[in-house]
Amino acid sequence: MPDHASGRIDLARLQEVLDGPWAKVRNAHREHLDERFLPVYGETGDQARERISRLLHELPVELGTASAFPSEYGGGSDVGGSIVASEMLAQVDLSLMVKAGVQWGLFGGAVGALGTRRHHDAYLRDIISGKIFGCFAMTETGHGSDVQRLRTTCTYDPQTQTFDLHTPHEAARKDYIGNAARDGRMAVVFAQLITNGRRHGVHAFLVPIRDAQGNPMPGVSIGDAGHKAGLLGVDNGRLSFAHVRVPRDMLLDRYGQVAADGTYSSPIENDSRRFFTMLGTLVRGRVSVGGAAAAATKSALTIAVRYGDIRRQFDTPDADREVLLNDYLAHQRKLLPALATTYALHFAQAELVAALSEVQGGDGPVDEHRQRELESRAAGLKAAQTWHATRTIQMCREACGGAGYLAENRLPSLKADTDVFTTFEGDNTVLLQLVAKGLLTGYRDEFGSLDGWGRASFVADQVRDMVLERTAARSLIERLVGAVPGRDDEVAVTDRGWQLKAFEDRERHLLDGAVRRLRNGAATKKDRPFDIFNDVQDHVLAVAAAHIDRVTLEAFVAAIEDTTDPAVRALLARVCDLYALSVVEANKGWFLEHGRLTPARSKAVTGVVNGLLKELRPHMRTLVDGFAIPEAWLHCAILREEPLRQESMAAQDAADEQQAATRR
């Protein structure tokens, strides 16, 4: 690392880079969310629910996810700010973040995105203020990810001009619905719309589920989902409907209208395309979950890195004191690659939030191509971030030894609260398949549920070659890749162009292979579209994962390019090297099998990674301090004891030195 970057990083400059364009939102949270909002260790589920419900009413609107709503209804007209607000709430209390996300992101977001002016005028102000608490009732016991096949029905009766909302059997029960067990008064219910004897696919209906006294409305059955491993403050419940009458104007009808006589109309004729368009407007929830998982990961890494800088274990023959945990290569191997990946995903998330704000934050028509790209990116990054959180928080728990298992040190609750994120807002495996479909075809409207790829002939004829869509700094990345010489072994593995090219080449090769296998399957199994897809599912998932690795690296490279402080830029460049080479090292098998690495060069990658770990060791504390998590928010007993430990170590050092002097 250049000398000017060694030990002299301006922390404020690093924080400025990480905070990004919504720094004011981040700083407002740091300033206003005090100890009142922190988790309470050891509380019961009822106590947690009571506390979180109370705190939700105490959140200022400008600090919450409600900031995405239009200003005319009391919001802030700031889509990107609402996502960043979710990230900040996640660092304080994940139950509070999820509760806020259900109320304003899912329930309120659905009313805003799928409703029309009359719904907005009637309900948005009360949703923003918290006068109306609501639920987002999509998931069913028998259908989670396969939303298009939901079994709840809503059948229109022109005689009464009402819909008959009905749960036909137990598997159609709405399950795991946030806000349902205790606080919800209304629900956005997703059901199959039927009118004049014809189904028109899944639509959303605004349905009262409790009266003013909190009792279930006639025909509505409400149950508690039961004790969960984490997120105790979120009242997940179950909803069933026994021929509940829903007025016609409670259909959220931006994309599908039913006239008084039962005539159905829509600006989008194709049922599948309409369905995916509706879901696409709700992508904010998925982006928020990914960001929240990343925020929790930052908290865990901050705790583990700081603990590793004060905890000593075992001595050496030539020293009179024990060694800091962070000085062990094995410990660095745990923490630093995870920290580098966290940085990379942070910049990918920042780029995604900026794109979301641009695509959905304006008043004009949404660019359909950009919207589809946004949905695909959101799906892939959510999977990457939540899986990374699950792995990293567990690793941080182990890195803190027995102390990491104590509730007072935060890590157990971070682990429990984020565990569900891998299946919340979309099962990660299913989401990667959505990413792959976007790469493989560009004609996702032709596909229904994930039980196949549509007509076999369509698969064979229409699958196209991949077009690499640059995520940021397009000309820079193309220039770096283009500068790499023809022979890989002629360039250092720390060359940015070589790293970008390696990621791009892996993605392209995997995609080409998946296309060939799909075409071969279509030629031999024309009448079995499910088998065509199922036989290459492993390959398809690998394509999606490689794609997300590439766009994440490109986002990191773009962020470095935009960094003006030389020392911070140099530090980020080395962190980026560690991220890129950690991915290469983790996928050595593929690179070796496909001739992208020689055995000697493969060994060189490991050597360079180990060198980077030593180089970055002095900056571990700086890198986590750059997240600027307030001390109180870490809510960790072993860190509160840090000054005492430092004082104790200083005293021990002095005693050791005195003993050594006596021996001399």
Side-chain angles (χ1 to χ4, degrees), residues 408-470:
E408 67 179 5
N409 291 323
R410 189 75 189 281
L411 293 169
S413 62
L414 289 175
K415 179 180 175 182
D417 288 346
T418 56
D419 190 44
V420 73
F421 285 7
T422 58
T423 50
F424 183 37
E425 281 293 306
D427 177 277
N428 282 357
T429 299
V430 175
L431 293 183
L432 286 187
Q433 292 175 78
L434 291 177
V435 174
K437 284 187 176 181
L439 293 170
L440 285 162
T441 157
Y443 296 100
R444 288 192 300 167
D445 293 345
E446 297 291 332
F447 300 128
S449 68
L450 291 175
D451 60 359
W453 286 87
R455 299 188 308 275
S457 60
F458 177 83
V459 174
D461 297 339
Q462 300 294 333
V463 168
R464 59 175 170 80
D465 291 334
M466 176 178 66
V467 177
L468 286 176
E469 299 207 30
R470 304 296 184 194

Side-chain angles (χ1 to χ4, degrees), residues 1-2 4-5 9-10 13-19 339-340 342-344 346-347 496 499 553 555-580 612 615-616 619 622-623 626-627:
M1 185 178 295
H4 63 251
I9 301 297
D10 186 334
R13 296 295 186 191
L14 178 59
Q15 180 184 334
E16 182 181 325
V17 172
L18 290 169
D19 277 358
L339 188 51
T342 301
Y343 263 71
H346 172 92
F347 292 123
R496 190 73 70 227
Q499 294 166 359
L553 177 59
F556 204 158
V557 172
I560 294 170
E561 179 70 8
D562 291 339
T563 300
T564 56
D565 184 276
V568 173
R569 184 177 176 130
L571 177 61
L572 291 178
R574 301 312 270 165
V575 176
C576 186
D577 283 336
L578 181 57
Y579 165 69
L612 286 167
E615 197 172 335
L616 289 171
H619 303 281
T622 299
L623 289 170
F627 298 140

Side-chain angles (χ1 to χ4, degrees), residues 56 60-83 85-86 99-117 119-121 123-130 132 134 136 188 252 281-282 284 360-363:
L56 201 66
V61 170
E62 62 271 18
L63 292 186
T65 52
S67 61
F69 292 105
S71 302
E72 62 182 301
Y73 298 110
S77 297
D78 186 0
V79 174
S82 72
I83 305 296
S86 290
K99 185 83 169 179
V102 170
Q103 171 67 14
W104 293 312
L106 295 178
F107 171 62
V111 175
L114 303 180
T116 49
R117 183 81 191 194
H119 301 111
H120 300 168
D121 290 345
Y123 299 108
L124 281 188
R125 289 183 183 85
D126 287 343
I127 290 172
I128 293 170
S129 68
I132 298 177
F136 184 83
V188 171
L252 298 178
T281 64
L282 306 175
R284 268 205 322 264
Q360 294 193 351
D363 296 326

Side-chain angles (χ1 to χ4, degrees), residues 4 28 34 46 97 134 146 191 199 209 230 305 316 343 371 373-374 395 411 427 441 503 508 515 530 552 581 631 647:
H4 63 251
D34 54 28
D46 287 340
M97 173 265 158
D146 192 1
R199 289 189 177 226
I209 60 171
V305 166
T316 61
Y343 263 71
Q371 173 67 29
E373 169 65 18
L374 179 68
M395 179 270 296
L411 293 169
D427 177 277
T441 157
F503 278 49
R508 191 187 300 274
V515 168
F530 171 78
T552 299
L581 295 180
E631 189 75 22
E647 183 179 330

Side-chain angles (χ1 to χ4, degrees), residues 113-182:
L114 303 180
T116 49
R117 183 81 191 194
R118 71 174 185 277
H119 301 111
H120 300 168
D121 290 345
Y123 299 108
L124 281 188
R125 289 183 183 85
D126 287 343
I127 290 172
I128 293 170
S129 68
K131 290 181 181 178
I132 298 177
F133 258 44
C135 315
F136 184 83
M138 177 182 284
T139 300
E140 294 180 357
T141 304
H143 285 82
S145 298
D146 192 1
V147 178
Q148 207 167 4
R149 298 290 193 272
L150 295 179
R151 300 302 173 87
T152 301
T153 58
C154 211
T155 306
Y156 183 68
D157 179 4
Q159 298 298 320
T160 61
Q161 295 195 25
T162 61
F163 289 94
D164 179 7
L165 177 64
H166 187 59
T167 303
H169 46 72
E170 189 74 5
R173 176 186 64 188
K174 297 297 180 181
D175 212 349
Y176 214 80
I177 308 303
N179 272 353
R182 169 192 159 105

Side-chain angles (χ1 to χ4, degrees), residues 203-224:
H203 288 64
F205 302 81
L206 191 55
V207 182
I209 60 171
R210 285 186 174 90
D211 60 23
Q213 288 71 45
N215 301 310
M217 295 291 286
V220 179
S221 297
I222 302 176
D224 196 310

